[in-house]
Amino acid sequence: VDDALYTAFVEETAPLAAEVESRLLGLERAAAALSADWRALLGVLHSIKGNCGMVELDDAQALAHAMEQQVRELRASPLDAQMAAVAELLATADTLRTAMTLRSPSSSPSPSPQPIPSATLSPPPTPSPGRDLIRLPAERIDRLLESTEELAAVHERTGAAVRALGRRRGVADPEVSPLLELVDQSRRRLRAVRTAVTDLRLLPLSTALARFDRVVRDLCVTTGKRATLAIRGGDVAVDKSVVDRIGEPLLHMVRNAIDHGIESPRERVRAGKPDSGRLTIEAETQGGVLTVIVRDDGRGVDRGKLAAAAARRGLDVAAMGDDQLLALVFEPELSTAERVTELSGRGIGLDQARRTLEHIGGSLHVESTRGQGTALRLRVPAVIAVQRALLLACAGEVYALPFTAVIEAFRLGGPRGATAAAVPWRDSELALCDLADELEVPVPGTGDGRPATCVIVDRGDQPLALAVDGLAGQQDVVIKPLDAVFGRPRGVSGAAVLPEGRVVLVVDPHGLGRGQRPARAS
Amino acid sequence: VTGGVVDDSEAADADVADDPTAGAMPAVRLVAFTVAGRDYGVPVERVQEVVRVGTITRVPASPRHARGVTNHRGRIIPVIDVATAVGAAAAGAPGRDARLLAVEVGDRVVGLLVERTLAVVSVAADDPSWRGRPLHVLDVERVVEGR
């Protein structure tokens, strides 16, 4: 089977296999099946069977055929037999998916090309009538985005040159003023292009959430628990790189909710709750930030146990606020689960989820009420490729701090009573961390009069008071990773090119001020 | 390789010169440059471009030979100080003649910071020399790794 045919097969058939699964899950949830449901399922299975035959996947074809037969016979069975068979069919569907990837070695040209009956060709998926769709590799969009950024840099330089000319000759100069007008026009067009290119990478979040129906079902089977999942806001549009990267953290969050949040049906009934737990995934975007909350109505975090575990590890529990104490659920060594199941060794999964999120400029928070449930709140920039950043001046350099991490900024020595050592913050004081010290960069000159500005930075748990020389504006930046030769310097997540061509480092707030964080002091 | 070796801002001061002694022996074409009193060369097909040194942004906690990062045609590339990498004393700020060789290393592009470029030369592969001086062929991978 040649590559092109196989690629076409995968593109066409993978969504069909996913449809089989979602239809089966739907049947199971409804605990009833109308003959129309079975008929739809039969249609999909039949298409899969035909497609597998085209690419000579004999095992997969046989499986699809067997499933088709089973469904045909089931239609006449009593309801409980139907429901029992659904679980079996789900397992077979997994095997089928695997079988579909077991491609026989390329044997083109085929010795005896067999005509493919056109009846077995399923029509390509048509999302909505009258729409033309193109499939293309994501790298091609990325290349377009990169070129757009380069063009933007050239535009900035052109603009600066024309404005300089305008200052010398006066903006009303007959040769200068049309140039200024052209620069202005190109700026507007460029912004439109940038937006259009960025939008190309947007996908509905539901592409990352679709599998959780199945995940929740399987987890419930393994743990003997009962839970229903409701998803809200799956249609929010986020950057493809976000969709790709938050799947794994979300999986950890959902696992954690079922494994450690939702109680067993017996326990729930004893607590006066319905025997089936409620799990919700809510997503929304606001101001360029995607928030996804995984909420369960389970037992909640036991702060007493958490504090005891922390105390055993030598942490100063008394000095911790409630937020800090709760944030300990992310510490891998502090598992309060009495037994580590195959699902999630509590902290390990969440710790990993948090690390992944922090790496892409996001954060993970936990809120919990004993006996009522837990909410894990994930926040990431909705568009990772382009991020709005606050520019910080420090020790003769400029640094970019993603806006998602900025809580507020103010001048030191002002009416708030902040000094060069500490800043009042809510009902306590935050010690000031000098960015120059954190990054170990030398301060040129005598350093008099610095630092003059404080930025309160969100690190996911405890805020950090970051001292810098001053602010240098805001800018949309494309964050690029640093070359391998630099290793992974603490407090730096990458670099970005400013419009005038200068390269600035991007500050990673999670790598700063770690010396003074009690939870990490052990 | 895009466009061969082109000086960014002024007429190429790296003139192309063939070594007449190379004769019929197997020859290699190198971009020749000077670092800490010695002459070096990098195969011309690995050099994307020779450019003047722009602003270098320092990166904290980086190895000594990694000077920082710079903007090369919209791309952020590391600047490797060849002098430090070959064991000479760390050079100060880049001088007037200093150039950056944008060199391909696998799928990366790195900037090699050199004191001055000399020429694109065609020399004998087994015993490269130019104008009577030995030309050391730079092991780019080692230099980048700082070994």
Side-chain angles (χ1 to χ4, degrees):
Chain A
V1 173
D2 75 10
D3 289 345
L5 183 59
Y6 185 73
T7 305
F9 164 77
V10 170
E11 283 178 4
E12 208 171 281
T13 320
L16 294 178
E19 190 183 339
V20 169
E21 183 174 74
S22 71
R23 283 190 181 281
L24 285 170
L25 287 169
L27 287 172
E28 190 178 61
R29 223 180 354 254
L34 304 171
S35 61
D37 295 333
W38 289 124
R39 212 165 33 244
L41 190 58
L42 276 177
V44 183
L45 285 169
H46 191 76
S47 298
I48 293 179
K49 184 172 76 170
N51 293 357
C52 289
M54 274 166 52
V55 291
E56 297 163 21
L57 286 174
D58 298 340
D59 289 347
Q61 189 183 19
L63 272 172
H65 177 75
M67 286 179 79
E68 208 184 322
Q69 283 306 116
Q70 194 180 356
V71 169
R72 249 181 240 290
E73 286 156 19
L74 267 178
R75 285 192 294 182
S77 313
L79 186 65
D80 51 346
Q82 286 187 359
M83 288 305 115
V86 165
E88 196 184 311
L89 283 166
L90 271 170
T92 320
D94 287 342
T95 319
L96 174 63
R97 274 193 175 183
T98 313
M100 278 168 49
T101 64
L102 301 178
R103 176 192 178 189
S104 52
S106 181
S107 57
S108 52
S110 176
S112 58
Q114 286 173 347
I116 298 151
S118 61
T120 63
L121 289 166
S122 75
T126 44
S128 63
R131 275 176 74 188
D132 266 344
L133 296 179
I134 310 176
R135 267 180 192 280
L136 74 174
E139 302 91 71
R140 289 180 44 190
I141 296 176
D142 290 347
R143 234 177 294 149
L144 183 61
L145 184 66
E146 261 175 36
S147 303
T148 310
E149 292 307 320
E150 283 169 28
L151 187 61
V154 173
H155 164 82
E156 285 297 326
R157 287 204 290 275
T158 313
V162 170
R163 280 190 298 275
L165 191 65
R167 277 194 296 278
R168 279 202 304 278
R169 295 223 217 145
V171 289
D173 182 283
E175 283 176 25
V176 175
S177 82
L179 287 178
L180 282 167
E181 173 59 27
L182 281 173
V183 165
D184 202 42
Q185 276 186 30
S186 98
R187 183 178 50 81
R188 280 199 298 273
R189 304 263 154 89
L190 193 61
R191 192 190 296 158
V193 171
R194 219 186 196 176
T195 309
V197 175
T198 312
D199 284 355
L200 281 180
R201 293 172 46 96
L202 295 185
L203 291 176
L205 186 65
S206 52
T207 45
L209 300 181
R211 63 178 172 146
F212 284 111
D213 256 351
R214 178 67 190 271
V215 167
V216 167
R217 179 209 171 266
D218 288 354
L219 286 175
C220 283
V221 169
T222 323
T223 55
K225 295 177 179 181
R226 298 196 56 196
T228 56
L229 172 67
I231 295 175
R232 278 199 284 278
D235 54 351
V236 297
V238 288
D239 192 272
K240 182 186 183 309
S241 57
V242 179
V243 173
D244 291 347
R245 293 192 229 184
I246 68 171
E248 204 56 34
L250 273 173
L251 182 64
H252 286 302
M253 290 159 69
V254 167
R255 278 187 170 170
N256 188 76
I258 302 243
D259 204 25
H260 305 290
I262 305 279
E263 315 89 330
S264 68
R266 256 212 352 256
E267 203 178 322
R268 287 184 65 88
V269 171
R270 263 207 310 274
K273 298 178 181 181
D275 65 344
S276 174
R278 261 210 334 266
L279 198 66
T280 53
I281 301 180
E282 298 154 51
E284 64 164 14
T285 51
Q286 205 173 38
V289 177
L290 167 72
T291 306
V292 184
I293 305 173
V294 174
R295 199 188 298 278
D296 68 64
D297 67 344
R299 60 171 73 94
V301 173
D302 187 336
R303 289 174 169 78
K305 262 193 210 165
L306 201 57
R312 275 199 299 280
R313 301 269 316 164
L315 297 178
D316 186 2
V317 182
M320 291 183 188
D322 190 54
D323 282 358
Q324 272 174 285
L325 182 66
L326 268 183
L328 293 179
V329 301
F330 299 126
E331 300 295 327
E333 304 88 0
L334 275 180
S335 173
T336 66
E338 269 118 45
R339 62 206 152 82
V340 174
T341 70
E342 60 165 307
L343 298 172
S344 52
R346 184 69 164 206
I348 297 169
L350 286 187
D351 180 57
Q352 208 176 334
R354 184 175 63 164
R355 275 171 208 278
T356 309
L357 293 169
E358 287 179 353
H359 190 65
I360 55 175
S363 63
L364 187 58
H365 282 269
V366 58
E367 289 152 33
S368 185
T369 311
R370 183 95 182 107
Q372 291 178 30
T374 304
L376 288 165
R377 185 187 304 268
L378 166 165
R379 296 181 87 232
V380 284
V383 177
I384 289 175
V386 181
Q387 274 199 49
R388 190 118 192 105
L390 184 64
L391 300 181
L392 312 172
C394 184
E397 288 278 356
V398 172
Y399 297 90
L401 177 65
F403 240 97
T404 49
V406 178
I407 300 175
E408 63 170 312
F410 49 86
R411 294 191 63 79
L412 291 170
R416 297 185 49 142
T419 65
V423 176
W425 173 253
R426 293 189 183 150
D427 45 3
S428 65
E429 268 200 343
L430 297 177
L432 260 185
C433 290
D434 191 327
L435 182 60
D437 296 340
E438 291 290 329
L439 299 181
E440 291 167 29
V441 289
V443 176
T446 60
D448 277 355
R450 71 167 304 279
T453 302
C454 172
V455 183
I456 304 290
V457 177
D458 180 7
R459 289 184 306 179
D461 44 15
Q462 210 199 359
L464 175 82
L466 191 64
V468 295
D469 300 2
L471 305 182
Q474 307 175 7
Q475 187 64 53
D476 283 335
V477 293
V478 179
I479 300 177
K480 302 272 177 65
L482 285 175
D483 187 90
V485 73
F486 299 106
R488 290 184 69 167
R490 206 171 54 90
V492 177
S493 62
V497 183
L498 294 188
E500 77 264 22
R502 177 177 187 170
V503 177
V504 295
L505 297 182
V506 180
V507 174
D508 169 18
H510 303 285
L512 302 177
R514 283 308 178 197
Q516 37 166 286
R517 192 177 169 205
R520 294 276 164 135
S522 55
Chain B
V1 180
T2 52
V5 179
V6 184
D7 197 285
D8 186 37
S9 48
E10 61 186 26
D13 52 12
D15 55 318
V16 178
D18 288 343
D19 184 350
T21 61
M25 280 181 288
V28 284
R29 279 165 64 77
L30 301 174
V31 176
F33 54 86
T34 304
V35 168
R38 287 169 64 150
D39 295 344
Y40 295 86
V42 173
V44 70
E45 62 275 8
R46 297 192 63 171
V47 182
Q48 280 192 350
E49 235 176 338
V50 179
V51 297
R52 282 171 166 272
V53 184
T55 315
I56 300 172
T57 303
R58 282 209 299 216
V59 178
S62 50
R64 278 181 67 238
H65 70 294
R67 277 288 191 103
V69 285
T70 195
N71 176 0
H72 176 64
R73 309 225 170 268
R75 187 169 182 169
I76 298 171
I77 63 168
V79 176
I80 303 296
D81 185 358
V82 178
T84 313
V86 298
R96 223 195 79 84
D97 292 331
R99 291 291 182 276
L100 207 58
L101 273 59
V103 173
E104 293 173 2
V105 181
D107 55 0
R108 300 146 78 188
V109 174
V110 302
L112 298 182
L113 178 63
V114 306
E115 246 168 66
R116 52 180 295 163
T117 48
L118 301 170
V120 178
V121 297
S122 195
V123 296
D126 51 356
D127 182 23
S129 67
W130 189 60
R131 293 192 177 159
R133 303 217 317 161
L135 204 56
H136 308 274
V137 177
L138 202 68
D139 183 338
V140 177
E141 277 71 18
R142 277 189 71 164
V143 165
V144 171
E145 292 307 318
R147 283 180 286 137

